[in-house]
């Protein structure tokens, strides 16, 4: 299968579904990760132009660890808008290029406006990408596919309908997350927050819920014709 995960910022995917994506690669899937925003405002000191380049490289390094292709829409932080045609078309092009069998993205009720905007973009673009006469720079058509919403930050206000056992992949997930040095090191040194510990704790909690050691949680998008009887997640 072809799997496409569309997150907002570099490191969002590692936080919420990297174990699942690594498990997809292990079963033979082709996995693509797209970051809609470039993360250029994600530091108090590093200049935005410098940080934009740094965070793209961090994301690529993380993807290499699991055999995942990483692309970006390169939109500035806090400039993501869920109903802007230019941005919808960027996501349409990503979908048409990846030709996914299913898509993972942010929950519509996530905590950050940029995340919510990405969720809206994906919902709109996943339909537009299937319309032959909707023209963008990619002259292909993608099928309408299931969408799975990944866990909210710290699991707040998120009631899963699907779980993926990532016990055998949790170490790789954490290694991928640690590639985002600009974020994790800063939070440890200046905010005294061990972000990696938080993410692993959530995975342990989801594991307790689903009777395994570590898990990642998802909700299926229940919108016609995106619903399927097939098990898509690994």
């Amino acid at each position: 299968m072809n799997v496409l995960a569309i997150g907002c910022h570099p490191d969002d995917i590692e936080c919420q579904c990297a174990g699942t994506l690594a498990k997809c690669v292990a079963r033979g899937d082709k996995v693509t990760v797209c970051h809609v925003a470039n993360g250029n405002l994600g530091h108090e000191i590093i200049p935005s132009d410098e940080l934009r380049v740094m965070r793209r490289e961090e994301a690529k390094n993380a993807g290499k660890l699991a055999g995942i292709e990483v692309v970006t829409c390169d939109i500035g932080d806090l400039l993501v808008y869920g109903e802007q045609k230019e941005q919808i078309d960027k996501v349409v092009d990503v979908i048409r290029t990846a030709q996914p069998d299913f898509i993972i993205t942010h929950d519509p009720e996530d905590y950050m406006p940029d995340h919510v905007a990405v969720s809206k973009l994906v919902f709109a673009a996943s339909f537009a990408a299937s319309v032959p006469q909707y023209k963008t720079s990619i002259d292909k058509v993608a099928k309408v596919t299931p969408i799975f919403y990944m866990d909210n930050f710290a699991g707040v206000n998120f009631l899963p309908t699907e779980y993926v056992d990532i016990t055998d992949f949790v170490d790789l997930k954490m290694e991928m997350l640690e590639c985002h040095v600009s974020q994790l090191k800063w939070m440890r040194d200046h905010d005294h927050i061990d972000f990696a510990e938080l993410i692993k704790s959530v995975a342990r909690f989801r594991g307790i819920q689903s009777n395994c050691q570590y898990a990642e949680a998802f909700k299926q998008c229940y919108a016609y014709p995106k619903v399927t009887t097939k098990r898509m997640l690994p």
Side-chain angles (χ1 to χ4, degrees):
M1 285 196 293
N2 293 332
V3 180
L4 175 61
I6 304 177
C8 188
H9 310 98
D11 82 1
D12 285 337
I13 295 299
E14 283 74 20
C15 290
Q16 310 298 6
C17 68
T20 296
L21 297 182
K23 195 169 184 177
C24 285
V25 172
R27 74 176 179 183
D29 296 347
K30 183 184 187 311
V31 178
T32 303
V33 164
C34 172
H35 304 110
V36 174
N38 55 33
N40 65 330
L41 301 184
H43 204 282
E44 293 185 14
I45 294 178
I46 301 174
S48 59
D49 288 346
E50 182 181 339
L51 186 62
R52 168 179 168 267
V53 175
M54 183 183 300
R55 296 199 70 184
R56 180 181 293 186
E57 289 306 308
E58 291 172 346
K60 287 183 177 179
N61 290 337
K64 287 177 184 177
L65 291 176
I68 293 170
E69 181 182 2
V70 178
V71 299
T72 179
C73 293
D74 199 22
I75 298 169
D77 285 2
L78 297 180
L79 296 176
V80 182
Y81 302 106
E83 298 176 353
Q84 189 180 94
K85 184 182 184 303
E86 180 183 355
Q87 296 186 9
I88 291 173
D89 287 355
K90 283 178 180 280
V91 179
V92 167
D93 284 348
V94 170
I95 294 172
R96 285 176 167 174
T97 300
Q99 294 289 306
D101 293 291
F102 67 91
I103 299 171
I104 296 173
T105 192
H106 293 285
D107 184 65
E109 297 182 0
D110 207 335
Y111 81 106
M112 186 182 290
D114 277 1
H115 292 191
V116 173
V118 167
S119 186
K120 290 180 179 179
L121 283 174
V122 171
F123 187 83
S126 65
F127 183 83
S130 72
V131 179
Q133 295 195 59
Y134 188 84
K135 301 301 182 182
T136 65
S137 63
I138 302 297
D139 189 22
K140 290 181 181 179
V141 175
K143 58 189 175 184
V144 179
T145 64
I147 294 176
F148 295 95
Y149 297 125
M150 58 191 178
D151 212 343
N152 289 340
F153 183 69
V156 174
N157 196 31
F158 191 87
L159 185 61
T161 61
E162 305 263 356
Y163 293 87
V164 175
D165 182 346
I166 63 161
T167 304
D168 293 339
F169 297 89
V170 70
D171 290 341
L172 177 55
K173 170 187 172 76
M174 302 314 297
E175 189 178 356
M176 292 170 70
L177 183 59
E178 290 289 352
C179 287
H180 296 273
V181 178
S182 67
Q183 305 303 293
L184 273 73
K185 187 176 187 303
W186 174 262
M187 283 188 283
R188 287 187 181 116
D189 292 348
H190 296 271
D191 298 331
H192 307 294
I193 298 172
D194 191 335
F195 191 61
E197 181 185 33
L198 186 155
I199 296 302
K200 193 170 185 178
S201 296
V202 173
R204 178 69 189 109
F205 174 64
R206 294 306 189 190
I208 292 170
Q209 289 182 319
S210 54
N211 295 303
C212 65
Q213 193 72 16
Y214 293 97
E216 289 171 339
F218 302 88
K219 289 194 304 191
Q220 187 171 359
C221 172
Y222 289 113
Y224 178 84
K226 294 177 171 62
V227 180
T228 179
T229 59
K230 298 177 182 178
R231 170 73 182 185
M232 309 296 287
L233 294 169

